[in-house]
Amino acid sequence: MISKTDLKTWLHRDISRLDKLLVVLATFVEGCQVHEIGVRAAEGGMRIPKTWNVSNILRRSKGLAIRTPSGWEITETGLERLRQLGLPIGNSAQAKVATELREELAKIGNPDTYAFVEEAIKCYEAHLFRSAIVMSWLAAVDVLRQHVFVNHLKAFNTEAKRVDLKWKTAKTTDDLGRMGEADFLDRIAAISVIGKNVKAELAACLNLRNGCSHPNSLKIGANAVTYHIELLLLNVFKPFST
């Protein structure tokens, strides 16, 4: 799935009719009808000429788009064609994760958390993989801190003081940020905010974030980023976002 910004940009480039229709199709998660294609193209600033037979153009695309019971859909081959043109499009797994992240984004009421998650999504969709890992981790930690502050602050402070007598009682979410992230995961696991298996996976995400946040020779591919973000989506954003 491509963004509305990319839709506007690419509909006004010198590309073929078919490619423009594929760009429009790439904005839909499910199949769409011809009139919906026209509406979406207009949203991107392009009116489809009456002389275009949209169905015929797509039918002759040699598998780049197909007609399904729910309407016209772009295929993986069609997405690959758009990638070759230069559009920042991930594979189907990436598109699914990005779509689900945007669904969770709409549920977040805290403006600071919203900004973190939104930036993480933009990095992910733009294939800025190291940045996506860093930003998605920051967003996830922010979600967890907000949840602890609202629901478990007393228990958290008690556990933090038990482990470290020098811990100064946290009264705000910023106070929670005084604790290192690895220690924070240990404390919230100890008071059963997360389970031990979730803590282990989040600790691995933290290690990956640390590897991506400094100049080094670490190489990160799309699949690793998708796994990282999907894990945060399932174990942090979905259960704890408010």
Side-chain angles (χ1 to χ4, degrees):
M1 183 175 180
I2 67 172
S3 67
K4 290 184 178 180
T5 299
D6 286 330
L7 174 67
K8 293 176 182 178
T9 298
W10 285 87
L11 285 183
H12 293 88
R13 292 198 176 184
D14 185 19
I15 57 177
S16 70
R17 295 186 304 174
L18 172 60
D19 288 333
K20 290 187 177 184
L21 292 177
L22 292 177
V23 168
V24 175
L25 287 182
T27 67
F28 289 92
V29 177
E30 298 179 344
C32 58
Q33 304 301 317
V34 170
H35 75 275
E36 293 176 305
I37 295 173
V39 170
R40 185 60 55 84
E43 291 174 355
M46 187 195 86
R47 289 188 176 277
I48 295 179
K50 293 182 180 180
T51 55
W52 289 20
N53 186 326
V54 173
S55 291
N56 192 45
I57 294 170
L58 294 176
R59 191 176 297 114
R60 298 169 60 185
S61 68
K62 298 181 179 180
L64 300 179
I66 58 173
R67 177 78 181 181
T68 68
S70 61
W72 286 102
E73 296 182 16
I74 189 169
T75 64
E76 185 60 37
T77 304
L79 290 172
E80 180 58 31
R81 179 184 179 100
L82 295 184
R83 292 189 197 103
Q84 292 173 359
L85 288 177
L87 274 81
I89 299 176
N91 57 31
S92 56
Q94 288 175 266
K96 177 177 180 293
V97 170
T99 299
E100 291 185 358
L101 271 175
R102 289 200 173 277
E103 291 174 354
E104 294 306 312
L105 177 64
K107 302 174 186 177
I108 296 174
N110 183 282
D112 293 330
T113 306
Y114 186 100
F116 272 130
V117 177
E118 184 178 39
E119 188 164 345
I121 295 171
K122 289 179 178 179
C123 289
Y124 183 58
E125 292 178 330
H127 289 199
L128 302 173
F129 291 144
R130 292 171 71 104
S131 297
I133 285 174
V134 172
M135 291 306 305
S136 61
W137 174 257
L138 291 176
V141 170
D142 193 60
V143 166
L144 288 172
R145 285 175 180 155
Q146 293 289 342
H147 178 78
V148 168
F149 177 73
V150 172
N151 300 284
H152 306 282
L153 188 58
K154 182 178 179 179
F156 178 87
N157 278 318
T158 298
E159 176 62 16
K161 184 78 72 175
R162 184 190 69 79
V163 176
D164 180 6
L165 293 177
K166 295 182 180 180
W167 171 253
K168 184 177 180 181
T169 300
K171 298 179 181 179
T172 67
T173 53
D174 286 345
D175 290 341
L176 294 175
R178 289 190 277 107
M179 181 177 290
E181 292 167 345
D183 289 337
F184 178 74
L185 293 178
D186 287 339
R187 303 300 172 267
I188 64 175
I191 61 175
S192 299
V193 174
I194 58 175
K196 66 177 183 179
N197 292 326
V198 171
K199 189 196 85 168
E201 292 296 334
L202 292 181
C205 288
L206 172 57
N207 287 336
L208 182 59
R209 189 291 303 266
N210 290 340
C212 289
S213 60
H214 305 287
N216 54 54
S217 59
L218 178 65
K219 305 297 182 184
I220 297 295
N223 290 338
V225 183
T226 301
Y227 177 81
H228 170 89
I229 294 181
E230 186 171 41
L231 192 145
L232 295 179
L233 174 68
L234 295 174
N235 294 282
V236 177
F237 295 114
K238 283 183 178 292
F240 297 117
S241 294
T242 56

